Amino acid sequence: MDHPSRYVFLGAGAIGSALGGLLARQGREVLLVARGEHARVMADRGVTLRCPDLTETVAVPVATAPDEAHLTVDDVLVLTAKTPQAADVLDTWGDAPVHDRDGIEVGRAADVLPVLVALNGVAGEEIALRRAERVFAVCVWCPTVLLEPGEVIVRGAPLRGVFHLGRYGHSPDPAADSSLLASIATDWEPAGCLVRPTDAVMGWKYRKLIANTGNALEALLGDTTGAEDITTAARAEAEEVLGAADLPVVGKEEARAGWEPEGLEFLPVPGEPAQLGGSSWQSLMRGTGSIESDYLNGEIALTARRIGRPAPVNAGLTALARRAAREGLRPGSITADELRRALGLE
Ligand SMILES: NC(=O)C1=CN([C@@H]2O[C@H](COP(=O)(O)OP(=O)(O)OC[C@H]3O[C@@H](n4cnc5c(N)ncnc54)[C@H](OP(=O)(O)O)[C@@H]3O)[C@@H](O)[C@H]2O)C=CC1
Ligand SMILES: CC(C)(CO)C(=O)C(=O)O
């Protein structure tokens, strides 16, 4: 790419608003696609970043619909809605017209623009590849929290996140892809976001999926202290199922070396509670009515069913988390003992 990119975050919640704000703060062009009160607050006064080492409100352009966006060939779409919302947001934005630098319409977004799938789990890439030509998988290691409209808590400092990134599906032009990934690294790294291009990106995503089987536990229990045995059971089952299915999981040691030496830590953020949870916990805290567990624990249950293995812990967690979201329950709706009983872990 010989022209600066604009990063268009499709579904700018915790991750999209954090990345958008951090990039905008460094002078990069961004567009945050959001909705509801969160979109209104960001459009009126910007996004407030609450980090361990700074609090700052950054002006960001916001769009709620494609006709507010004027997409061009220099745009990079970054899918950051949660997996259950991914198809809907891509359907809406994939049909948006894209213009060249002279303002001539050159095609639809899904045919012309790169789509980075910055989601947990491994299902988002197939959802995107059904709809878009040029898809990249992203393994997102970037703890952020959205509880109040317009305000995002970024828990890492000075490093904000580590992103393993690679082409998903066949690439007709690997050199163009490498050049895009290199320009993303150049744009994102000054914002504290390390970009690690890799052909093994799905292996990183599978490794992270194993860790993310704990998301449902945080969402259900609120505080997972004293429930480490349940987290361990969910992760061990996930490791066993993915291994039995011969899926390409990056090894534990390699993953540790890839994430930890970068120095990314979950640090306390001044004025914010010490006890904050991950993305699924936030869905229940915000009462969104939906949760991503079908694509996290549910991915383990699905894989197990495909190969004829049991996965009772992850299947049980999927069902309980889905019900909690549907019924509007907040984190802490069940005790660790009740959960052990429900999952047959006693
Ligand atoms: N938060 C974190 O720390 C991390 C999250 N991840 C992963 O990143 C992905 C995103 O997570 P996260 O940022 O936490 O999720 P959020 O729910 O905070 O953000 C998604 C946002 O997209 C909005 N949205 C959904 N559909 C549309 C639409 N059609 N038009 C406009 N806006 C829309 C949602 O609005 P509404 O709320 O109204 O539905 C929400 O604000 C997930 O896969 C998650 O697992 C990965 C690593 C860390
Ligand atoms: C930040 C992290 C690793 C755990 O909280 C995450 O992936 C999530 O919140 O979904």
Side-chain angles (χ1 to χ4, degrees):
M1 260 192 195
D2 56 355
H3 207 262
S5 300
R6 176 176 70 161
Y7 296 97
V8 178
F9 293 93
L10 299 180
I15 287 288
S17 307
L19 273 172
L22 290 165
L23 289 170
R25 187 171 174 265
Q26 293 297 322
R28 301 256 64 99
E29 263 202 84
V30 300
L31 178 67
L32 274 58
V33 173
R35 63 183 177 190
E37 189 55 14
H38 180 54
R40 272 189 292 281
V41 173
M42 290 196 296
D44 286 354
R45 62 159 206 240
V47 60
T48 301
L49 301 171
R50 300 198 184 286
C51 311
D53 53 343
L54 72 94
T55 298
E56 194 173 310
T57 300
V58 185
V60 281
V62 175
T64 58
D67 60 1
E68 298 167 13
H70 189 79
L71 297 179
T72 78
V73 288
D74 296 315
D75 286 331
V76 174
L77 304 181
V78 191
L79 179 61
T80 52
K82 285 201 169 90
T83 315
Q85 305 153 336
D88 183 41
V89 81
L90 280 175
D91 284 342
T92 304
W93 284 80
D95 281 338
V98 177
H99 304 84
D100 68 12
R101 287 171 204 148
D102 298 320
I104 313 286
E105 195 173 314
V106 292
R108 311 162 54 236
D111 296 333
V112 176
L113 299 180
V115 179
L116 313 189
V117 180
L119 310 187
N120 276 332
V122 293
E125 283 72 17
E126 293 281 304
I127 295 171
L129 202 61
R130 276 178 200 282
R131 293 166 171 83
E133 280 294 327
R134 195 176 175 207
V135 172
F136 294 81
V138 189
C139 181
V140 180
W141 188 259
C142 181
T144 60
V145 181
L146 179 74
L147 296 176
E148 296 297 327
E151 297 193 10
V152 60
I153 302 165
V154 181
R155 302 174 70 187
L159 187 59
R160 314 298 181 191
V162 180
F163 300 82
H164 289 82
L165 232 146
R167 177 83 191 222
Y168 188 79
H170 170 73
S171 171
D173 190 348
D177 290 344
S178 299
S179 144
L180 174 65
L181 297 185
S183 71
I184 294 171
T186 305
D187 288 349
W188 289 22
E189 295 200 359
C193 299
L194 291 187
V195 173
R196 296 282 177 255
T198 168
D199 291 338
V201 61
M202 293 313 288
W204 285 89
K205 294 197 73 155
Y206 274 113
R207 171 54 58 195
K208 182 136 194 285
L209 172 63
I210 295 172
N212 285 131
T213 58
N215 283 27
L217 270 134
E218 262 183 358
L220 290 165
L221 298 175
D223 183 353
T224 54
T225 314
E228 292 78 7
D229 57 315
I230 317 180
T231 311
T232 302
R235 290 183 176 157
E237 185 183 271
E239 181 102 40
E240 200 268 331
V241 166
L242 297 180
D246 265 337
L247 287 160
V249 187
V250 159
K252 264 190 204 160
E253 290 314 313
E254 190 185 345
R256 200 165 289 141
W259 283 320
E260 285 183 6
E262 317 287 6
L264 182 59
E265 289 178 65
F266 289 45
L267 296 171
V269 176
E272 300 300 338
Q275 182 84 42
L276 291 166
S279 51
S280 304
W281 175 89
Q282 293 167 50
S283 293
L284 293 198
M285 284 296 282
R286 301 206 306 266
T288 61
S290 136
I291 196 161
E292 207 173 27
S293 314
D294 281 355
Y295 298 95
L296 302 176
N297 311 83
E299 185 71 35
I300 304 303
L302 168 71
T303 307
R305 288 171 190 138
R306 279 198 179 120
I307 60 169
R309 292 243 168 182
V313 178
N314 283 287
L317 284 169
T318 310
L320 289 168
R322 191 190 309 118
R323 193 180 68 196
R326 189 176 61 236
E327 293 179 359
L329 303 180
R330 293 295 187 263
S333 62
I334 184 171
T335 67
D337 280 340
E338 287 166 341
L339 188 54
R340 279 187 197 98
R341 267 196 297 283
L343 298 173
L345 288 173
E346 282 191 330

